[in-house]
Amino acid sequence: NAGVTQTPKFQVLKTGQSMTLQCAQDMNHEYMSWYRQDPGMGLRLIHYSVGAGITDQGEVPNGYNVSRSTTEDFPLRLLSAAPSQTSVYFCASSSVEGTTGELFFGEGSRLTVL
Amino acid sequence: GENVEQHPSTLSVQEGDSAVIKCTYSDSASNYFPWYKQELGKRPQLIIDIRSNVGEKKDQRIAVTLNKTAKHFSLHITETQPEDSAVYFCAASKRSGGSNYKLTFGKGTLLTVNP
């Protein structure tokens, strides 16, 4: 199993450009999420999904869109990139079974907005 | 929403010493408290977790304690080794079967173990 796969690993954008960060998991996890990691700020939840066709906002959703058309894929779209979106982005997935559950992270995508 | 505070932000210990990282949470309904370790340039990985019906859990050199009344939980690492050097994140969620999986993370603790 590949686990959680994110692409691209690195990206440089100019202010105003749009792009999509791809995330795919092969563990049949219902729950998928996107976090951003900034120095001194920890991991902040952007958007999450509990199944195909269901998405919801996290702590810092502004400037980002998501969709969940399949169980496996959960892309994150930046509509008009801003320097404040310079960050490391992590996609993560988890099973919804039971009352505990490990969150499996992708390797991260480092985005720089100039 | 949930707010998780984590202290200290940096911690330096000598190899073989113990390290303790503390977190507090605000939502008394939170019932699941995992800890993640992130080595430099790597992804976060779960190292231990605890549910609110348990006061303590151990796994070799790592232990987590939970005080529901005070709404705080702690990570204890004994006999630290250089490979324990990493950023550690605590987190909290109101997890129940079938709902509520959002994890709120603390801001992290950079642990450095000096040989």
Side-chain angles (χ1 to χ4, degrees):
Chain A
N1 285 350
V4 179
T5 303
Q6 285 182 236
T7 56
K9 287 186 172 54
F10 301 94
Q11 183 72 49
V12 178
L13 291 177
K14 294 181 179 179
T15 297
Q17 287 185 318
S18 63
M19 77 157 298
T20 299
L21 298 176
Q22 301 291 345
C23 176
Q25 53 91 9
D26 61 0
M27 296 173 282
N28 203 32
H29 285 166
E30 300 88 345
Y31 178 78
M32 296 186 75
S33 56
W34 278 101
Y35 285 87
R36 60 177 289 174
Q37 183 174 26
D38 303 292
M41 297 299 292
L43 294 155
R44 293 183 291 170
L45 183 64
I46 305 171
H47 285 287
Y48 67 99
S49 168
V50 296
I54 306 169
T55 63
D56 206 347
Q57 296 181 349
E59 182 184 354
V60 288
N62 293 341
Y64 308 94
N65 275 359
V66 292
S67 60
R68 184 93 180 271
S69 56
T70 68
T71 300
E72 294 78 19
D73 300 300
F74 191 46
L76 178 71
R77 297 182 185 86
L78 283 70
L79 305 175
S80 179
S84 61
Q85 294 178 303
T86 293
S87 187
V88 178
Y89 292 85
F90 286 99
C91 178
S93 73
S94 174
S95 170
V96 303
E97 296 296 323
T99 54
T100 62
E102 180 173 359
L103 198 59
F104 291 87
F105 285 85
E107 290 185 312
S109 299
R110 182 175 294 274
L111 174 66
T112 301
V113 183
L114 303 175
Chain B
E2 175 66 276
N3 183 49
V4 177
E5 299 283 341
Q6 183 172 347
H7 298 280
S9 57
T10 61
L11 179 60
S12 181
V13 300
Q14 290 299 122
E15 183 176 358
D17 287 350
S18 295
V20 181
I21 302 170
K22 299 181 179 181
C23 290
T24 60
Y25 60 99
S26 61
D27 190 341
S28 58
S30 288
N31 61 1
Y32 176 60
F33 307 94
W35 286 86
Y36 285 79
K37 175 184 179 182
Q38 185 180 29
E39 297 176 353
L40 185 63
K42 301 288 183 65
R43 71 189 87 187
Q45 292 188 297
L46 179 71
I47 55 171
I48 195 168
D49 57 10
I50 192 169
R51 274 193 55 80
S52 58
N53 58 350
V54 175
E56 183 176 4
K57 185 177 179 180
K58 290 183 180 180
D59 183 3
Q60 300 183 341
R61 296 186 296 107
I62 294 173
V64 56
T65 59
L66 171 65
N67 184 325
K68 281 189 62 179
T69 303
K71 291 190 285 187
H72 67 71
F73 56 112
S74 300
L75 178 71
H76 304 254
I77 305 174
T78 59
E79 302 173 13
T80 54
Q81 302 167 2
E83 52 264 38
D84 294 329
S85 295
V87 177
Y88 291 81
F89 293 99
C90 62
S93 76
K94 292 181 286 189
R95 188 177 172 108
S96 60
S99 67
N100 294 327
Y101 311 103
K102 288 192 298 179
L103 273 179
T104 299
F105 284 87
K107 293 184 177 180
T109 297
L110 174 61
L111 173 64
T112 303
V113 180
N114 302 299

